[in-house]
């Protein structure tokens, strides 16, 4: 009789979990200057939710095999979206609201590093996990927070990636790239990217690299004539950009107008990676480059990613891009952590996040593992360059879908 009672209560617990909906807050710029990007990220998180809550065995993700979280009796995940409008104060307020009023057990977000910073501090105060997908400011994982994790490579890692790529171009193609300019938006993301350039270039002075221009522009800039003239006067071989889609579009148009022709332009996680960049600029987008967690050119080599993209494209009408895939990953990882914890207890979820290597077959790295500072130690990035409107993987060579062009052509010869 006692065994029957135990079995009965186990069944009750299983049914309770099966009926449970576990809420996770998702804070992104759904309106405002980065709304186009924020809405696409929302689609990606919704795809993650669909995979988690239903059966997609062909996608070969841990939570694609069953409907819901198997270790919690099939409990469903619900991502509760909030809009920070690219406003850090609003991001902080929305984090507070989601935790106190919506009862979320974790947070993901916020794309803008300047919004991720205060929102994650709220999560730290309440003791719940926060996973940033695509926010890249190195400072985010330098705060000593216990509850913060980040999937994307930070701008310090990307800066090293940039210089190593330039060395590759110099060695293989005799590109003779030496003079570097950094161009950046005046916010958390841009300022820290520029700081990383100034720090990391010291390690590459023996390779002949020097910083010839440091160009900061305001977040609300509507004209960048002065900045572009300063860049042109410095005659850089390479330009490192920390800009969002609207800013990056504006700079490219001015580069063409003022006939700025560097050898290479590399962009941190931001505007360049958004496929809207090609829509905005057409053939003028060609030859720009930057790291990406994915590109449509890789789909043939990565079948699981291609299947995820099919679901994403059905919602968004476009292929998934690098930052969007990183935020998809944040949604998958937090759900897997809750499932592995077998609980919504924040401390148990935290322990899983700190100790587990998560499989990520949608990244070229194949896995995600957080270091002591919360940073994913495996960079998923490949260097991409646009050719005929397509983001091709150009480096490292084992992922190459096309050889890089080490020299921008003249604007009038495109």
């Amino acid at each position: 009789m006692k065994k029957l009672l135990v079995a009965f209560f186990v069944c009750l617990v299983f049914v309770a979990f099966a009926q449970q909906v576990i809420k996770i807050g998702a804070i992104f710029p759904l309106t405002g200057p980065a709304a186009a990007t924020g809405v696409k990220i929302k689609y990606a998180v919704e795809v993650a939710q669909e995979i988690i809550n239903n059966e997609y065995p062909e996608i070969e993700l841990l939570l694609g095999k069953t409907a819901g979280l198997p270790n919690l009796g099939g409990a469903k995940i619900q991502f509760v979206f909030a809009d920070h409008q690219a406003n850090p104060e609003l991001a902080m307020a929305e984090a507070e609201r989601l935790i106190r009023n919506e009862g979320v057990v974790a947070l993901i977000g916020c794309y803008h590093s300047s919004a991720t910073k205060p929102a994650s501090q709220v999560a730290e105060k309440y003791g719940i996990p926060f996973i940033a997908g695509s926010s890249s400011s190195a400072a985010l994982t330098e705060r000593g927070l216990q509850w913060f994790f980040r999937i994307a490579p930070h701008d310090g890692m990307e800066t090293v990636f940039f210089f190593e790529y330039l060395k590759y171009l110099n060695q293989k193609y005799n590109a003779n790239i030496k003079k570097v300019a950094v161009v950046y938006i005046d916010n958390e993301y841009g300022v820290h990217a520029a700081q990383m350039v100034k720090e990391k270039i010291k390690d590459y002075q023996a390779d002949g690299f020097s910083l010839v221009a440091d160009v900061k522009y305001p977040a609300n800039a509507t004209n960048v004539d002065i900045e572009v003239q300063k860049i042109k006067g410095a005659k850089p071989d390479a330009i490192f950009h920390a800009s969002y889609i609207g800013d990056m579009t504006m700079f490219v148009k001015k580069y063409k107008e003022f006939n700025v022709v560097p050898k290479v332009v590399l962009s941190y996680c931001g505007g360049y990676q958004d496929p809207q960049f090609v829509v905005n600029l057409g053939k003028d987008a060609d030859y720009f480059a930057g790291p990406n967690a994915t590109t449509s050119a890789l789909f043939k080599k990565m079948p699981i990613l291609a299947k995820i993209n099919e679901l994403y494209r059905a919602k968004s009408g476009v292929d998934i891009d690098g930052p969007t895939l990183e935020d998809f990953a944040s949604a998958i990882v937090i759900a897997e952590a809750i499932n592995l914890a077998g609980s919504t207890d924040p401390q148990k979820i935290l322990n899983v996040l700190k100790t587990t290597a998560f499989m990520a077959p949608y990244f070229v790295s194949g896995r995600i593992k957080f270091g002591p500072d919360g940073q994913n130690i495996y960079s998923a990035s490949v260097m991409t360059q646009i050719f005929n409107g397509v983001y091709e993987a150009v480096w490292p060579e084992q992922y190459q879908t096309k050889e890089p062009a080490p020299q921008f052509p003249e604007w009038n010869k495109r």
Side-chain angles (χ1 to χ4, degrees), residues 256 259-262 284 287 407-414:
K256 182 177 182 180
N259 196 33
V260 177
V261 188
D284 289 343
Y287 305 104
Q407 171 66 60
F408 262 43
E410 296 288 339
W411 288 102
N412 60 4
K413 294 181 181 178
R414 295 191 175 209

Side-chain angles (χ1 to χ4, degrees), residues 227-344:
E227 288 83 357
V228 171
Q229 287 172 341
K230 182 177 179 181
I231 295 163
K232 183 173 183 177
K235 298 180 180 179
D237 300 315
I239 302 174
F240 294 180
H241 254 280
S243 304
Y244 297 119
I245 181 63
D247 316 328
M248 195 64 193
T249 300
M250 183 165 50
F251 269 97
V252 174
K253 289 179 177 178
K254 289 297 179 181
Y255 288 154
K256 182 177 182 180
E257 180 182 335
F258 287 92
N259 196 33
V260 177
V261 188
K263 294 180 179 179
V264 177
V265 178
L266 303 177
S267 290
Y268 291 93
C269 176
Y272 158 85
Q273 286 80 0
D274 189 329
Q276 188 66 35
F277 182 69
V278 174
V279 175
N280 290 350
L281 294 161
K283 66 178 183 180
D284 289 343
D286 281 354
Y287 305 104
F288 285 84
N292 242 322
T294 191
T295 167
S296 59
L298 287 171
F299 293 164
K300 290 181 180 179
K301 296 185 175 185
M302 303 178 67
I304 294 175
L305 173 59
K307 290 172 184 176
I308 292 168
N309 185 64
E310 287 177 13
L311 296 176
Y312 176 78
R313 191 175 181 85
K315 277 183 174 289
S316 67
V318 297
D319 289 327
I320 200 164
D321 58 55
T324 305
L325 184 62
E326 289 163 345
D327 284 301
F328 167 88
S330 72
I332 292 291
V333 167
I334 190 59
E336 287 189 1
I338 293 169
N339 180 61
L340 290 171
S343 171
T344 57

